[in-house]
Amino acid sequence: MLLKKLIQFQWPGILWAIMILILTGVPGDFFGGINSSWKWQHTDKIVHWFIFAVFSYLLLHGHRRQYPGIKLRYKPVLLALALGTLFSAFTEIMQQHVFRGREGDFADFFANVAGTLSGALFFFTWYRKK
């Protein structure tokens, strides 16, 4: 019953997590057409930030849908931050040790964590205004 309820409300976040795993597992040369290494690195960090911002936002949105009458406290936000950080570390470890043509990167990890924080902050700020 708990799993069914979790999936019922968290399916957007779960699907987004699957998409993150697919995207982080695709070899870097698959995206080709990038001329400058600097431009790619800059864009890469923005992409990492964005996908993890959306991830933490979706987790909190699912929590809000699951418990609509309960005032949002810091515990779900901290849980979303912890899950985002752990998932970020997991994806970077997978890139380093499992996925071919990918490398784990601390800068990517920090961009992921910054995105996780940003998504949670955006959700919390948006929710508090309502």
Side-chain angles (χ1 to χ4, degrees), residues 15-86:
L15 287 178
W16 193 259
I18 292 168
M19 190 214 52
I20 289 173
L21 272 178
I22 291 169
L23 287 176
T24 57
V26 172
D29 59 357
F30 177 80
F31 296 105
I34 307 287
N35 294 334
S36 169
S37 176
W38 185 84
K39 281 184 183 178
W40 169 245
Q41 290 301 321
H42 182 68
T43 304
D44 178 53
K45 301 310 175 252
I46 293 170
V47 169
H48 279 266
W49 174 86
F50 177 77
I51 63 176
F52 275 86
V54 171
F55 179 62
S56 65
Y57 180 87
L58 289 174
L59 290 177
L60 289 167
H61 180 70
H63 180 271
R64 181 70 189 127
R65 285 183 48 227
Q66 188 171 357
Y67 303 104
I70 298 175
K71 184 176 179 183
L72 183 66
R73 302 280 184 204
Y74 292 100
K75 193 174 184 179
V77 174
L78 292 176
L79 181 61
L81 293 175
L83 285 173
T85 301
L86 289 171

